[in-house]
Amino acid sequence: TDADKRLLAAKGSVPIGIGRNSHVKRAIIDKNARIGENVKIINCDSVKEAARETDGYFIKSGIVTVIKRALIPSGTVI
């Protein structure tokens, strides 16, 4: 609900789902992931392999996977 979104925003968190003006290309988003607004998950540097689980994602064969219950803050570019 809108009230839930306001409460999460006040705590510095992000609701489950993909935020406004975010772009996702060649990616897998696992369940209960939280992706903020204006996020770009597009593998802009064409990275083939990367282990960034502490940041909430990894890249394998050029495909970004956002892990379960990850939080990708607003404005992030992957």
Side-chain angles (χ1 to χ4, degrees):
T1 66
D2 288 336
D4 291 333
K5 290 178 184 178
R6 284 191 297 275
L7 178 63
L8 286 169
K11 295 191 310 186
S13 192
V14 175
I16 290 176
I18 299 172
R20 233 177 254 194
N21 298 318
S22 292
H23 298 277
V24 179
K25 181 177 177 184
R26 292 192 53 157
I28 298 168
I29 311 297
D30 209 337
K31 70 181 190 177
N32 297 331
R34 299 170 186 268
I35 298 172
E37 295 181 353
N38 301 307
V39 172
K40 292 184 181 185
I41 302 175
I42 56 176
N43 196 1
C44 57
D45 295 329
S46 299
V47 175
K48 292 294 180 189
E49 306 289 327
R52 304 285 166 107
E53 284 87 357
T54 56
D55 294 330
Y57 70 94
F58 63 87
I59 302 172
K60 188 165 187 145
S61 299
I63 297 174
V64 178
T65 299
V66 176
I67 60 178
K68 187 188 297 186
R69 292 190 287 280
L71 170 61
I72 308 297
S74 294
T76 300
V77 177
I78 300 174

Coordinates of all heavy atoms in Angstrom, one line a residue:
T1 N 0.8 -1.2 0.0 CA 0.0 0.0 0.0 C 0.9 1.2 0.0 O 2.1 1.2 0.3 CB -0.9 0.0 1.2 OG1 -0.1 0.2 2.4 CG2 -1.8 -1.2 1.3
D2 N 0.3 2.4 -0.3 CA 1.0 3.6 -0.2 C 1.6 3.9 1.2 O 2.7 4.4 1.3 CB 0.1 4.8 -0.7 CG -0.1 4.7 -2.2 OD1 0.7 4.1 -2.9 OD2 -1.1 5.3 -2.7
A3 N 0.8 3.6 2.2 CA 1.2 3.8 3.6 C 2.5 2.9 3.9 O 3.4 3.4 4.5 CB 0.1 3.4 4.5
D4 N 2.5 1.7 3.4 CA 3.6 0.8 3.6 C 4.9 1.4 2.9 O 6.0 1.3 3.4 CB 3.4 -0.6 3.0 CG 2.3 -1.4 3.8 OD1 2.2 -1.1 5.0 OD2 1.7 -2.2 3.2
K5 N 4.7 1.9 1.6 CA 5.8 2.5 0.9 C 6.4 3.7 1.6 O 7.6 3.8 1.7 CB 5.3 2.9 -0.5 CG 5.0 1.7 -1.4 CD 4.5 2.2 -2.8 CE 4.1 1.0 -3.6 NZ 3.6 1.5 -4.9
R6 N 5.5 4.5 2.2 CA 6.0 5.7 2.9 C 6.7 5.3 4.2 O 7.8 5.8 4.5 CB 4.8 6.6 3.3 CG 4.3 7.4 2.1 CD 3.3 8.5 2.6 NE 2.1 8.0 3.2 CZ 1.0 7.6 2.6 NH1 1.0 7.7 1.2 NH2 0.0 7.1 3.2
L7 N 6.2 4.2 4.9 CA 6.9 3.7 6.1 C 8.3 3.2 5.7 O 9.3 3.5 6.4 CB 6.1 2.7 6.8 CG 6.6 2.0 8.0 CD1 6.8 3.1 9.1 CD2 5.8 0.9 8.5
L8 N 8.4 2.4 4.7 CA 9.7 1.8 4.3 C 10.6 2.9 3.8 O 11.8 2.9 4.2 CB 9.5 0.8 3.1 CG 8.9 -0.5 3.5 CD1 8.5 -1.3 2.3 CD2 9.9 -1.3 4.4
A9 N 10.1 3.9 3.1 CA 11.0 5.0 2.7 C 11.5 5.8 3.9 O 12.7 6.2 3.9 CB 10.2 6.0 1.7
A10 N 10.7 6.0 4.9 CA 11.1 6.7 6.1 C 12.2 5.9 6.8 O 13.1 6.5 7.5 CB 9.9 6.9 7.0
K11 N 12.2 4.6 6.7 CA 13.2 3.8 7.3 C 14.4 3.6 6.4 O 15.4 2.9 6.8 CB 12.7 2.4 7.7 CG 11.6 2.5 8.8 CD 11.2 1.1 9.4 CE 10.9 0.1 8.3 NZ 10.4 -1.2 8.9
G12 N 14.4 4.1 5.2 CA 15.5 4.0 4.3 C 15.5 2.7 3.5 O 16.5 2.3 3.0
S13 N 14.4 2.0 3.5 CA 14.3 0.7 2.8 C 13.5 0.9 1.5 O 13.1 2.0 1.1 CB 13.6 -0.3 3.7 OG 13.7 -1.6 3.2
V14 N 13.3 -0.2 0.8 CA 12.6 -0.2 -0.5 C 11.6 -1.3 -0.5 O 11.9 -2.4 0.0 CB 13.7 -0.5 -1.6 CG1 13.0 -0.6 -3.0 CG2 14.7 0.6 -1.6
P15 N 10.4 -1.1 -1.0 CA 9.4 -2.2 -1.0 C 9.8 -3.3 -2.0 O 10.6 -3.1 -2.9 CB 8.1 -1.5 -1.5 CG 8.5 -0.1 -2.1 CD 9.9 0.2 -1.5
I16 N 9.2 -4.4 -1.8 CA 9.5 -5.6 -2.7 C 9.0 -5.2 -4.1 O 8.0 -4.6 -4.3 CB 8.8 -6.8 -2.2 CG1 9.4 -7.3 -0.9 CG2 8.8 -7.9 -3.2 CD1 8.7 -8.5 -0.3
G17 N 9.9 -5.5 -5.1 CA 9.5 -5.3 -6.5 C 10.6 -4.4 -7.1 O 11.7 -4.2 -6.6
I18 N 10.2 -3.9 -8.3 CA 11.1 -3.0 -9.0 C 10.6 -1.6 -9.0 O 9.4 -1.4 -9.4 CB 11.3 -3.6 -10.5 CG1 11.8 -5.0 -10.4 CG2 12.1 -2.6 -11.3 CD1 11.8 -5.7 -11.8
G19 N 11.4 -0.6 -8.6 CA 11.0 0.7 -8.5 C 10.8 1.4 -9.8 O 11.2 1.0 -10.9
R20 N 10.2 2.6 -9.7 CA 9.9 3.5 -10.9 C 11.2 3.8 -11.7 O 12.2 4.1 -11.1 CB 9.3 4.8 -10.4 CG 8.0 5.1 -11.0 CD 7.5 6.3 -10.4 NE 6.4 5.8 -9.5 CZ 5.5 6.6 -9.0 NH1 5.5 7.9 -9.1 NH2 4.5 6.0 -8.3
N21 N 11.1 3.9 -13.0 CA 12.2 4.4 -13.9 C 13.4 3.5 -13.8 O 14.5 3.9 -14.1 CB 12.6 5.8 -13.6 CG 11.4 6.8 -13.8 OD1 10.7 6.6 -14.8 ND2 11.3 7.7 -13.0
S22 N 13.2 2.2 -13.4 CA 14.3 1.3 -13.4 C 14.3 0.5 -14.7 O 13.3 0.2 -15.3 CB 14.2 0.3 -12.2 OG 14.4 1.1 -11.0
H23 N 15.5 0.1 -15.1 CA 15.7 -0.7 -16.4 C 16.4 -2.0 -16.1 O 17.4 -2.0 -15.5 CB 16.4 0.1 -17.4 CG 15.8 1.4 -17.8 ND1 14.8 1.5 -18.7 CD2 15.9 2.7 -17.3 CE1 14.4 2.7 -18.8 NE2 15.1 3.5 -18.0
V24 N 15.8 -3.1 -16.5 CA 16.4 -4.4 -16.3 C 16.5 -5.1 -17.7 O 15.6 -5.1 -18.5 CB 15.5 -5.2 -15.4 CG1 16.1 -6.6 -15.2 CG2 15.3 -4.6 -14.1
K25 N 17.7 -5.5 -18.0 CA 18.0 -6.2 -19.3 C 18.9 -7.4 -19.0 O 19.9 -7.3 -18.4 CB 18.6 -5.2 -20.2 CG 18.9 -5.7 -21.6 CD 19.5 -4.6 -22.5 CE 19.9 -5.1 -23.8 NZ 20.6 -4.1 -24.6
R26 N 18.5 -8.5 -19.6 CA 19.3 -9.8 -19.5 C 19.6 -10.1 -18.0 O 20.8 -10.2 -17.6 CB 20.5 -9.7 -20.3 CG 20.3 -9.7 -21.8 CD 21.5 -10.0 -22.6 NE 22.1 -11.2 -22.0 CZ 22.9 -12.0 -22.6 NH1 23.3 -11.7 -23.8 NH2 23.4 -13.1 -22.1
A27 N 18.6 -10.1 -17.2 CA 18.8 -10.3 -15.8 C 17.7 -11.3 -15.2 O 16.6 -11.4 -15.8 CB 18.7 -9.0 -15.0
I28 N 18.0 -11.9 -14.1 CA 17.1 -12.8 -13.4 C 16.9 -12.1 -12.0 O 17.9 -11.8 -11.3 CB 17.7 -14.2 -13.2 CG1 17.9 -14.8 -14.6 CG2 16.8 -15.0 -12.3 CD1 18.7 -16.1 -14.5
I29 N 15.7 -11.9 -11.6 CA 15.4 -11.3 -10.3 C 14.7 -12.3 -9.5 O 13.6 -12.8 -9.8 CB 14.4 -10.1 -10.5 CG1 14.9 -9.1 -11.6 CG2 14.2 -9.4 -9.1 CD1 16.2 -8.4 -11.3
D30 N 15.4 -12.8 -8.4 CA 14.9 -13.8 -7.5 C 13.8 -13.2 -6.7 O 13.6 -12.0 -6.6 CB 16.0 -14.4 -6.6 CG 15.8 -15.8 -6.2 OD1 14.6 -16.2 -6.2 OD2 16.7 -16.5 -5.9
K31 N 13.0 -14.1 -6.0 CA 11.9 -13.7 -5.2 C 12.2 -12.8 -4.0 O 13.3 -12.9 -3.5 CB 11.0 -14.9 -4.8 CG 11.6 -15.7 -3.7 CD 10.6 -16.9 -3.4 CE 11.0 -17.6 -2.2 NZ 10.1 -18.6 -1.9
N32 N 11.3 -11.9 -3.7 CA 11.4 -11.0 -2.6 C 12.6 -10.0 -2.7 O 13.0 -9.5 -1.7 CB 11.5 -11.7 -1.3 CG 10.2 -12.5 -1.0 OD1 9.1 -12.1 -1.4 ND2 10.3 -13.6 -0.3
A33 N 13.0 -9.8 -3.9 CA 14.1 -8.8 -4.1 C 13.5 -7.4 -4.1 O 12.3 -7.2 -4.4 CB 14.8 -9.0 -5.5
R34 N 14.3 -6.4 -3.6 CA 13.9 -5.0 -3.5 C 14.8 -4.2 -4.4 O 16.0 -4.1 -4.1 CB 13.9 -4.6 -2.1 CG 13.0 -5.4 -1.2 CD 13.2 -5.1 0.3 NE 12.5 -5.9 1.1 CZ 11.2 -5.6 1.6 NH1 10.7 -4.5 1.3 NH2 10.6 -6.5 2.4
I35 N 14.3 -3.6 -5.4 CA 15.1 -2.8 -6.4 C 14.5 -1.4 -6.3 O 13.3 -1.2 -6.6 CB 15.0 -3.4 -7.8 CG1 15.6 -4.8 -7.8 CG2 15.7 -2.5 -8.8 CD1 15.5 -5.6 -9.0
G36 N 15.3 -0.4 -6.0 CA 14.9 0.9 -5.8 C 14.5 1.6 -7.1 O 14.6 1.0 -8.2
E37 N 14.3 2.9 -7.0 CA 13.9 3.7 -8.2 C 15.2 4.1 -9.0 O 16.3 4.2 -8.4 CB 13.2 4.9 -7.8 CG 11.8 4.6 -7.2 CD 11.1 5.8 -6.8 OE1 11.6 7.0 -6.8 OE2 9.9 5.7 -6.4
N38 N 15.1 4.3 -10.3 CA 16.2 4.7 -11.2 C 17.4 3.8 -11.1 O 18.5 4.3 -11.2 CB 16.6 6.2 -10.8 CG 15.4 7.1 -10.9 OD1 14.8 7.2 -12.0 ND2 15.1 7.9 -9.9
V39 N 17.1 2.5 -11.0 CA 18.2 1.5 -11.0 C 18.4 1.0 -12.4 O 17.4 0.8 -13.2 CB 17.9 0.3 -10.0 CG1 18.8 -0.8 -10.2 CG2 17.8 0.8 -8.6
K40 N 19.6 0.7 -12.8 CA 19.9 0.2 -14.1 C 20.6 -1.1 -13.9 O 21.8 -1.1 -13.5 CB 20.7 1.1 -15.0 CG 20.0 2.4 -15.4 CD 20.8 3.2 -16.3 CE 20.0 4.5 -16.6 NZ 20.6 5.3 -17.6
I41 N 20.0 -2.2 -14.3 CA 20.6 -3.6 -14.2 C 20.7 -4.0 -15.7 O 19.8 -4.6 -16.3 CB 19.7 -4.6 -13.4 CG1 19.5 -4.0 -12.0 CG2 20.4 -5.9 -13.4 CD1 18.6 -4.9 -11.1
I42 N 21.8 -3.6 -16.3 CA 22.0 -3.7 -17.7 C 23.4 -4.3 -18.1 O 23.7 -4.4 -19.3 CB 21.7 -2.4 -18.5 CG1 22.6 -1.3 -18.0 CG2 20.3 -2.0 -18.4 CD1 22.5 0.0 -18.7
N43 N 24.2 -4.6 -17.1 CA 25.6 -5.0 -17.3 C 26.3 -4.1 -18.3 O 26.7 -4.6 -19.4 CB 25.6 -6.5 -17.8 CG 27.0 -7.1 -17.7 OD1 27.9 -6.5 -17.2 ND2 27.1 -8.4 -18.1
C44 N 26.3 -2.9 -18.0 CA 26.8 -1.8 -18.9 C 28.3 -2.0 -19.3 O 28.7 -1.6 -20.3 CB 26.7 -0.5 -18.3 SG 27.4 -0.2 -16.7
D45 N 29.1 -2.8 -18.5 CA 30.5 -3.0 -18.8 C 30.7 -4.4 -19.4 O 31.9 -4.8 -19.6 CB 31.4 -2.9 -17.5 CG 31.4 -1.5 -17.0 OD1 31.3 -0.5 -17.8 OD2 31.5 -1.3 -15.8
S46 N 29.6 -5.1 -19.8 CA 29.7 -6.4 -20.4 C 30.6 -7.4 -19.6 O 31.3 -8.2 -20.2 CB 30.2 -6.3 -21.8 OG 29.3 -5.6 -22.6
V47 N 30.4 -7.4 -18.3 CA 31.1 -8.3 -17.4 C 30.6 -9.7 -17.6 O 29.4 -9.9 -17.7 CB 31.0 -7.9 -15.9 CG1 31.6 -8.9 -15.0 CG2 31.5 -6.5 -15.7
K48 N 31.5 -10.7 -17.7 CA 31.1 -12.1 -17.9 C 30.9 -12.8 -16.6 O 30.0 -13.6 -16.5 CB 32.1 -12.8 -18.8 CG 32.2 -12.3 -20.2 CD 30.9 -12.7 -20.9 CE 31.0 -12.2 -22.4 NZ 29.7 -12.3 -23.0
E49 N 31.7 -12.6 -15.6 CA 31.7 -13.3 -14.4 C 32.0 -12.3 -13.2 O 32.9 -11.6 -13.3 CB 32.7 -14.5 -14.3 CG 32.6 -15.5 -15.4 CD 31.3 -16.3 -15.4 OE1 30.9 -16.7 -14.3 OE2 30.8 -16.7 -16.5
A50 N 31.2 -12.3 -12.2 CA 31.4 -11.5 -11.0 C 30.6 -12.1 -9.8 O 29.5 -12.4 -10.0 CB 31.0 -10.0 -11.2
A51 N 31.3 -12.1 -8.7 CA 30.6 -12.6 -7.5 C 30.4 -11.4 -6.6 O 31.4 -11.0 -5.9 CB 31.5 -13.7 -6.8
R52 N 29.3 -10.9 -6.5 CA 29.0 -9.7 -5.7 C 27.8 -10.0 -4.7 O 26.9 -9.1 -4.6 CB 28.6 -8.5 -6.6 CG 29.7 -8.1 -7.6 CD 30.8 -7.4 -6.9 NE 32.0 -7.4 -7.8 CZ 32.4 -6.3 -8.4 NH1 31.8 -5.2 -8.2 NH2 33.4 -6.4 -9.2
E53 N 27.8 -11.2 -4.2 CA 26.6 -11.5 -3.3 C 26.4 -10.6 -2.2 O 25.3 -10.3 -1.7 CB 26.8 -13.0 -2.8 CG 26.5 -14.1 -3.8 CD 27.8 -14.4 -4.6 OE1 28.8 -13.8 -4.5 OE2 27.6 -15.3 -5.4
T54 N 27.5 -10.0 -1.6 CA 27.3 -9.0 -0.5 C 26.6 -7.7 -1.0 O 26.0 -7.0 -0.2 CB 28.7 -8.6 0.1 OG1 29.6 -8.1 -1.0 CG2 29.4 -9.8 0.7
D55 N 26.7 -7.5 -2.3 CA 25.9 -6.4 -2.9 C 24.6 -6.8 -3.4 O 23.8 -5.9 -3.9 CB 26.7 -5.7 -4.1 CG 28.0 -5.1 -3.6 OD1 28.1 -4.6 -2.5 OD2 29.0 -5.1 -4.4
G56 N 24.2 -8.1 -3.3 CA 22.9 -8.5 -3.7 C 22.8 -9.1 -5.1 O 21.7 -9.4 -5.5
Y57 N 23.9 -9.4 -5.7 CA 23.8 -9.9 -7.1 C 25.1 -10.6 -7.5 O 26.1 -10.5 -6.8 CB 23.5 -8.8 -8.1 CG 24.7 -7.9 -8.4 CD1 25.6 -8.1 -9.4 CD2 24.9 -6.7 -7.6 CE1 26.6 -7.2 -9.6 CE2 25.9 -5.9 -7.8 CZ 26.8 -6.1 -8.8 OH 27.8 -5.2 -9.0
F58 N 25.0 -11.4 -8.6 CA 26.2 -12.0 -9.2 C 26.0 -12.0 -10.7 O 24.9 -11.8 -11.2 CB 26.6 -13.3 -8.6 CG 25.6 -14.4 -8.9 CD1 25.6 -15.2 -10.0 CD2 24.6 -14.7 -7.9 CE1 24.6 -16.2 -10.2 CE2 23.7 -15.7 -8.1 CZ 23.7 -16.4 -9.3
I59 N 27.1 -12.1 -11.4 CA 27.0 -12.2 -12.9 C 27.6 -13.5 -13.3 O 28.8 -13.8 -12.9 CB 27.7 -11.0 -13.6 CG1 27.1 -9.7 -13.1 CG2 27.6 -11.1 -15.1 CD1 27.8 -8.4 -13.5
K60 N 26.9 -14.2 -14.2 CA 27.5 -15.5 -14.7 C 27.1 -15.5 -16.2 O 25.9 -15.3 -16.5 CB 26.9 -16.7 -14.0 CG 27.5 -18.0 -14.4 CD 27.2 -19.1 -13.4 CE 28.0 -20.3 -13.7 NZ 28.4 -21.0 -12.6
S61 N 28.1 -15.8 -17.0 CA 27.9 -15.8 -18.5 C 27.2 -14.5 -19.0 O 26.4 -14.5 -19.9 CB 27.0 -17.0 -18.9 OG 27.7 -18.2 -18.6
G62 N 27.5 -13.4 -18.3 CA 27.0 -12.1 -18.7 C 25.6 -11.8 -18.3 O 25.1 -10.7 -18.6
I63 N 25.0 -12.7 -17.6 CA 23.6 -12.5 -17.1 C 23.7 -12.1 -15.6 O 24.2 -12.8 -14.8 CB 22.7 -13.7 -17.3 CG1 22.6 -13.9 -18.8 CG2 21.4 -13.5 -16.7 CD1 21.9 -15.2 -19.2
V64 N 23.0 -11.0 -15.3 CA 23.0 -10.5 -13.9 C 21.9 -11.3 -13.1 O 20.8 -11.4 -13.7 CB 22.7 -9.0 -13.8 CG1 22.6 -8.6 -12.3 CG2 23.8 -8.3 -14.5
T65 N 22.2 -11.8 -12.0 CA 21.2 -12.4 -11.1 C 21.1 -11.7 -9.8 O 22.1 -11.6 -9.1 CB 21.5 -13.9 -10.9 OG1 21.5 -14.6 -12.1 CG2 20.4 -14.6 -10.0
V66 N 19.9 -11.1 -9.5 CA 19.7 -10.5 -8.2 C 19.2 -11.6 -7.3 O 18.2 -12.2 -7.6 CB 18.7 -9.3 -8.3 CG1 18.4 -8.7 -7.0 CG2 19.2 -8.3 -9.3
I67 N 19.9 -11.8 -6.2 CA 19.6 -12.9 -5.3 C 18.4 -12.7 -4.4 O 17.9 -11.5 -4.3 CB 20.9 -13.2 -4.4 CG1 21.3 -12.1 -3.6 CG2 22.0 -13.7 -5.3 CD1 22.5 -12.4 -2.6
K68 N 17.9 -13.7 -3.9 CA 16.7 -13.7 -3.0 C 16.9 -12.7 -1.9 O 17.9 -12.7 -1.2 CB 16.5 -15.1 -2.5 CG 15.2 -15.3 -1.7 CD 15.0 -16.6 -1.0 CE 15.0 -17.8 -2.0 NZ 14.8 -19.1 -1.4
R69 N 15.8 -11.9 -1.7 CA 15.8 -10.9 -0.6 C 16.9 -9.9 -0.6 O 17.2 -9.2 0.4 CB 15.8 -11.6 0.8 CG 14.5 -12.4 1.1 CD 14.4 -12.9 2.5 NE 15.3 -14.0 2.8 CZ 15.1 -15.3 2.6 NH1 14.0 -15.6 1.9 NH2 15.9 -16.2 3.0
A70 N 17.4 -9.6 -1.8 CA 18.5 -8.6 -2.0 C 17.8 -7.2 -2.0 O 16.6 -7.1 -2.3 CB 19.2 -8.8 -3.3
L71 N 18.6 -6.3 -1.6 CA 18.2 -4.8 -1.6 C 19.2 -4.1 -2.5 O 20.4 -4.0 -2.2 CB 18.2 -4.2 -0.2 CG 18.0 -2.7 -0.1 CD1 16.7 -2.3 -0.7 CD2 18.2 -2.2 1.3
I72 N 18.7 -3.6 -3.6 CA 19.5 -2.8 -4.6 C 19.0 -1.4 -4.4 O 17.8 -1.1 -4.8 CB 19.3 -3.3 -6.0 CG1 19.5 -4.8 -6.2 CG2 20.2 -2.5 -7.0 CD1 20.9 -5.3 -5.9
P73 N 19.8 -0.5 -3.8 CA 19.4 0.9 -3.5 C 19.0 1.7 -4.8 O 19.6 1.4 -5.9 CB 20.6 1.5 -2.8 CG 21.4 0.3 -2.4 CD 21.2 -0.8 -3.4
S74 N 18.2 2.7 -4.6 CA 17.9 3.6 -5.7 C 19.1 4.2 -6.3 O 20.1 4.5 -5.6 CB 16.9 4.7 -5.2 OG 15.7 4.2 -4.7
G75 N 19.1 4.4 -7.6 CA 20.2 5.0 -8.3 C 21.4 4.1 -8.6 O 22.4 4.5 -9.3
T76 N 21.3 2.8 -8.3 CA 22.4 1.9 -8.5 C 22.5 1.5 -10.0 O 21.5 1.4 -10.7 CB 22.2 0.6 -7.7 OG1 22.2 0.9 -6.3 CG2 23.3 -0.4 -8.0
V77 N 23.7 1.4 -10.5 CA 24.0 1.0 -11.9 C 24.8 -0.3 -11.9 O 25.9 -0.3 -11.3 CB 24.7 2.1 -12.7 CG1 25.0 1.5 -14.2 CG2 23.8 3.3 -12.8
I78 N 24.3 -1.3 -12.5 CA 25.0 -2.6 -12.5 C 25.3 -2.9 -14.0 O 24.4 -2.9 -14.8 CB 24.2 -3.8 -11.9 CG1 24.0 -3.5 -10.4 CG2 25.0 -5.1 -12.1 CD1 23.1 -4.5 -9.7

